[in-house]
Amino acid sequence: MQLGGYDISKWAVRAAARRGGATSLAVASNRQPPFAAHSVDVLLSLFGFPHWPAFAALLAPGGRLFTVDADVDHLIELREIIYPAVAPGAGEPARDAVQLGWRVNRSRQLRYRIHLDTAAAIHDLVAMTPHVHRMSADGRAALAKCARLVVTMSMVMREWSPPPLS
């Protein structure tokens, strides 16, 4: 069995590489994954921005895609601090995936709360999210006042079958 991975963040790839193991890693996006067509049996996308045609091209016959995506109230407490108005998150399977012929085989929601007991822990959480780039100066100031925070982690895990090959 061979393992490979990629992320758009060079820092994430460096951190994964430091953990060792026999994994091939690369800095890449879902739009242009660094693997040969039809060479992947299991593809895992964690909080990624899916590019469904590229995913379909990667999967070997019989291959499966597993996604983990934020549910509607993922990090809601954090978002309420850093944004003046909070829009509901996505919760439904990607409509464009279904329109392209992808099928959800299984779906499961995972929900729990985490206690962040230091400003550093809050900062580390935010640094792992797109919110670090999206929040305004006012949002940063509001967050800087937080020394502790209880945050809802709410995700949806799905197993997908790709569209039939044409």
Side-chain angles (χ1 to χ4, degrees):
M1 173 171 73
Q2 286 187 300
L3 296 175
Y6 65 94
D7 196 287
I8 194 126
S9 165
K10 65 182 175 185
W11 295 279
V13 171
R14 283 183 186 153
R18 277 190 228 108
R19 295 189 68 111
T23 304
S24 300
L25 301 169
V27 176
S29 74
N30 283 339
R31 191 171 292 279
Q32 294 182 313
F35 301 109
H38 310 295
S39 67
V40 176
D41 294 315
V42 177
L43 181 61
L44 177 62
S45 176
L46 300 170
F47 295 98
F49 296 98
H51 192 269
W52 301 102
F55 287 172
L58 280 179
L59 288 174
R64 292 289 183 266
L65 167 66
F66 293 87
T67 59
V68 178
D69 298 300
D71 206 359
V72 293
D73 58 349
H74 185 63
L75 304 179
I76 187 68
E77 300 84 357
L78 174 69
R79 293 186 288 138
E80 287 172 342
I81 292 169
I82 63 176
Y83 299 118
V86 177
E92 294 298 315
R95 275 187 234 154
D96 51 341
V98 173
Q99 289 173 347
L100 290 170
W102 287 85
R103 187 180 78 248
V104 176
N105 299 324
R106 292 183 279 181
S107 179
R108 179 174 179 216
Q109 184 183 37
L110 179 62
R111 182 184 167 88
Y112 57 93
R113 297 181 72 157
I114 61 171
H115 296 261
L116 304 171
D117 294 326
T118 66
I122 296 168
H123 176 270
D124 289 347
L125 173 66
V126 173
M128 294 174 26
T129 72
H131 303 295
V132 72
H133 304 292
R134 294 180 185 156
M135 68 178 140
S136 67
D138 289 342
R140 287 184 199 287
L143 193 61
K145 295 176 186 174
C146 294
R148 306 179 96 174
L149 186 62
V150 178
V151 183
T152 300
M153 307 297 286
S154 183
M155 298 144 280
V156 179
M157 300 176 289
R158 295 182 182 95
E159 175 194 358
W160 297 85
S161 290
L165 294 174
S166 356

